[in-house]
């Protein structure tokens, strides 16, 4: 890929994130969308894999560049946080996500972050800040992955709560309200 193409993709990513952040700030409350329709009903046969299956089919690099299969999280309650280093609300909620990860590790509830930026930027960010939950690098393709999981606005941060049964339980667009997330996690059946 040449530099002009990379800058074009980066510009599109920044614009999409800015538009999503702007849309998220238009409401005083961070929008929360509950998913009550099973993923199988949302994606009939012949229309591609169900959203969570598409997530678990991915192999993404960690910040050190080591490929990691996301299938390792299958069958476990999971919080998937889409973020970017250039997104202030994303960065602001990371310490609280780390705290939730520590609090719920004994309950086998996992938190992962999927970074929508270049491998270099995510590696630099994670080396500067000690993030205690697994981070993966998706680049611009992370935006499409988040859309498959219900992020029609394309905004960041975007968080998906997935049950051990592989069903999307809830999605959160914008900065997470942690009292709400903790209540939703408490209601999950492991």
């Amino acid at each position: 890929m040449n530099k002009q193409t990379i800058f074009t993709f980066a510009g599109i990513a920044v614009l999409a994130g800015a538009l999503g952040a702007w849309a998220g700030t238009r409401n005083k409350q961070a929008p929360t969308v509950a998913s009550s329709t099973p993923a199988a009903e949302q994606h009939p046969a012949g229309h591609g894999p169900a959203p969570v299956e598409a997530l678990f089919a991915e192999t993404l690099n960690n910040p050190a560049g080591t490929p990691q299969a996301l299938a390792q999280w299958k069958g476990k309650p999971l919080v998937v946080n889409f973020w970017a280093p250039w997104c202030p609300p994303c960065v602001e909620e990371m310490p609280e996500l780390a705290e939730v990860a520590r609090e719920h590790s004994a309950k086998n509830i996992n938190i992962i972050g999927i970074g929508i930026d270049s491998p270099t930027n995510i590696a630099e960010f994670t080396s500067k800040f000690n993030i205690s939950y697994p981070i993966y690098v998706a680049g611009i393709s992370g935006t499409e992955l988040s859309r498959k999981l219900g992020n029609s606005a394309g905004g960041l941060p975007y968080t998906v709560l997935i049950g051990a049964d592989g069903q999307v339980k809830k999605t959160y667009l914008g900065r997470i309200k942690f009292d709400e997330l903790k209540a939703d996690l408490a209601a999950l059946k492991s």
Side-chain angles (χ1 to χ4, degrees):
M1 228 186 259
N2 65 32
K3 286 185 181 180
Q4 184 177 7
T5 304
I6 292 171
F7 285 127
T8 301
F9 281 128
I12 291 169
V14 169
L15 181 60
L19 287 173
W22 174 78
T25 60
R26 302 240 331 136
N27 295 329
K28 292 193 190 249
Q29 244 182 334
T32 303
V33 180
S35 175
S36 59
T37 307
E41 290 178 27
Q42 294 173 5
H43 295 273
H47 288 60
V52 176
E53 288 305 315
L55 174 75
F56 292 142
E58 293 285 330
T59 296
L60 301 174
N61 288 346
N62 64 17
T66 307
Q68 303 286 314
L70 296 188
Q72 68 183 298
W73 303 109
K74 198 172 191 175
K76 302 172 184 176
L78 185 64
V79 177
V80 181
N81 178 252
F82 291 89
W83 68 282
W86 43 261
C87 165
C90 299
V91 174
E92 289 167 6
E93 70 185 11
M94 288 180 121
E96 290 172 283
L97 278 170
E99 180 184 325
V100 170
R102 278 189 297 279
E103 289 173 4
H104 288 84
S105 64
K107 297 177 185 172
N108 201 27
I109 295 173
N110 300 280
I111 295 178
I112 65 171
I114 297 181
I116 300 177
D117 203 340
S118 72
T120 303
N121 288 347
I122 291 177
E124 286 175 6
F125 181 88
T126 57
S127 71
K128 194 181 299 185
F129 301 97
N130 186 19
I131 302 164
S132 60
Y133 52 90
I135 297 289
Y136 302 101
V137 181
I140 194 72
S141 67
T143 302
E144 183 57 31
L145 185 57
S146 78
R147 286 184 195 280
K148 288 179 183 176
L149 290 163
N151 187 6
S152 59
L156 292 175
Y158 182 71
T159 306
V160 183
L161 178 59
I162 300 170
D165 61 0
Q167 298 295 310
V168 173
K169 301 300 182 184
K170 200 166 191 179
T171 61
Y172 314 81
L173 177 59
R175 196 172 192 293
I176 296 172
K177 292 182 177 180
F178 282 91
D179 290 342
E180 182 180 350
L181 177 62
K182 288 177 183 180
D184 294 337
L185 289 171
L188 272 184
K189 295 177 184 160
S190 304

